[in-house]
Amino acid sequence: MKMMSALMSPVGRKVLTGVTGIGLVAFVIAHMIGNLTYLSPDPTAYNAYAYKLMSLGWIFYTIEILLALCFILHAVVGITIQVRRRQARPIGYKNYTSAGSPSLQGYSARSMIFTGIILLVFLVLHLISFKYGPGEAEGYIATLSTGEEVRDLRRLMTEKFHEPLYAFGYPIIMILLGMHMRHGVWSALQSLGVMSRRLSPLVYTLAAILGILVAIGFLFVPLYIYFW
């Protein structure tokens, strides 16, 4: 009970969002790198990558469960924090300006709740389209260089991103992800107490660069598929 009370305290909620946020950032980067295997000269590389993940068995499913818990906790606690902030200050400001160091309350910070909700909805649709989309039973079968027959995720990705809604909608969402990460990484490190005030502006800049690189890494593949 004491642990639950500590986690539900204002400080505890910030630490919880920080820890889950860092975990999700690590997943996002790994997922982006995996997506980029689509561009490999070897046409079987992407399906081989997906097959290796699935071959991890219980390890893979344990990671999936942990990621699901991270997403749920991060979303619920993040929304709770924003709702309580609005309740504490119900009258908004007409004009916003960046507060600068150390709070750095720019547009990315003020839009966290909105980008977070959009990303959550996108995640559900993304899972439906790809993870739970057509598989071997529907004829999506590929043969690896080793001879194994696996689900043809590469074909599914190619077909999806030849549709304008996916090809252009996905990059827009990835730009929102980059914005969310820009403030989220800095805020997580600040909440966890691993960043000094002197380093705060530098970390915020590095977080912005990371957000931009992740957005580019994700949007490059769908645009490449659509135009090439």
Side-chain angles (χ1 to χ4, degrees), residues 154-184:
R154 193 177 198 279
R155 172 189 164 191
L156 179 60
M157 182 182 286
T158 302
E159 291 177 353
K160 288 294 185 182
F161 289 130
H162 270 124
E163 300 175 19
L165 180 61
Y166 280 89
F168 298 106
Y170 189 89
I172 291 173
I173 298 298
M174 292 305 101
I175 291 171
L176 294 180
L177 172 63
M179 290 175 55
H180 196 81
M181 286 180 60
R182 176 191 179 190
H183 183 77

Side-chain angles (χ1 to χ4, degrees), residues 39 64 71 124 126 150 152-153 184 199:
L39 304 174
E64 277 198 323
F71 272 111
V124 174
H126 187 66
V150 299
D152 196 351
L153 278 170
L199 291 176

Side-chain angles (χ1 to χ4, degrees), residues 6-226:
L7 288 175
M8 289 301 99
S9 68
V11 174
R13 286 194 297 269
K14 286 186 177 182
V15 170
L16 198 54
T17 54
V19 171
T20 55
I22 293 299
L24 293 176
V25 166
F27 161 72
V28 164
I29 294 173
H31 187 45
M32 179 197 70
I33 293 171
N35 275 9
L36 291 174
T37 60
Y38 181 98
L39 304 174
S40 170
D42 179 4
T44 68
Y46 184 74
N47 286 328
Y49 154 75
Y51 178 68
K52 285 180 181 178
L53 286 181
M54 294 299 296
S55 298
L56 294 175
W58 67 269
I59 297 176
F60 175 76
Y61 295 114
T62 300
I63 293 173
E64 277 198 323
I65 292 171
L66 290 175
L67 282 172
L69 289 174
C70 274
F71 272 111
I72 293 169
L73 283 173
H74 192 75
V76 171
V77 177
I79 290 172
T80 301
I81 289 174
Q82 291 296 327
V83 168
R84 294 196 177 195
R85 282 178 179 173
R86 289 179 179 274
Q87 288 175 343
R89 186 166 49 190
I91 302 176
Y93 296 105
K94 291 182 179 180
N95 297 311
Y96 288 95
T97 58
S98 176
S101 179
S103 65
L104 297 172
Q105 293 295 316
Y107 183 76
S108 296
R110 297 195 303 272
S111 63
M112 288 292 282
I113 183 67
F114 304 108
T115 55
I117 291 173
I118 292 171
L119 290 170
L120 185 61
V121 173
F122 163 79
L123 175 63
V124 174
L125 297 176
H126 187 66
L127 290 173
I128 292 172
S129 298
F130 291 96
K131 181 174 176 59
Y132 301 107
E136 295 177 55
E138 290 77 25
Y140 284 76
I141 303 173
T143 303
L144 301 181
S145 56
T146 53
E148 290 115 326
E149 288 190 341
V150 299
R151 184 185 180 203
D152 196 351
L153 278 170
R154 193 177 198 279
R155 172 189 164 191
L156 179 60
M157 182 182 286
T158 302
E159 291 177 353
K160 288 294 185 182
F161 289 130
H162 270 124
E163 300 175 19
L165 180 61
Y166 280 89
F168 298 106
Y170 189 89
I172 291 173
I173 298 298
M174 292 305 101
I175 291 171
L176 294 180
L177 172 63
M179 290 175 55
H180 196 81
M181 286 180 60
R182 176 191 179 190
H183 183 77
V185 170
W186 172 85
S187 180
L189 294 176
Q190 185 184 55
S191 297
L192 295 174
V194 296
M195 177 177 60
S196 68
R197 178 172 296 187
R198 181 173 60 84
L199 291 176
S200 182
L202 174 62
V203 172
Y204 195 75
T205 300
L206 293 176
I209 293 172
L210 177 63
I212 292 170
L213 291 176
V214 166
I216 292 173
F218 272 115
L219 64 84
F220 188 78
V221 173
L223 294 179
Y224 172 85
I225 292 172
Y226 186 79

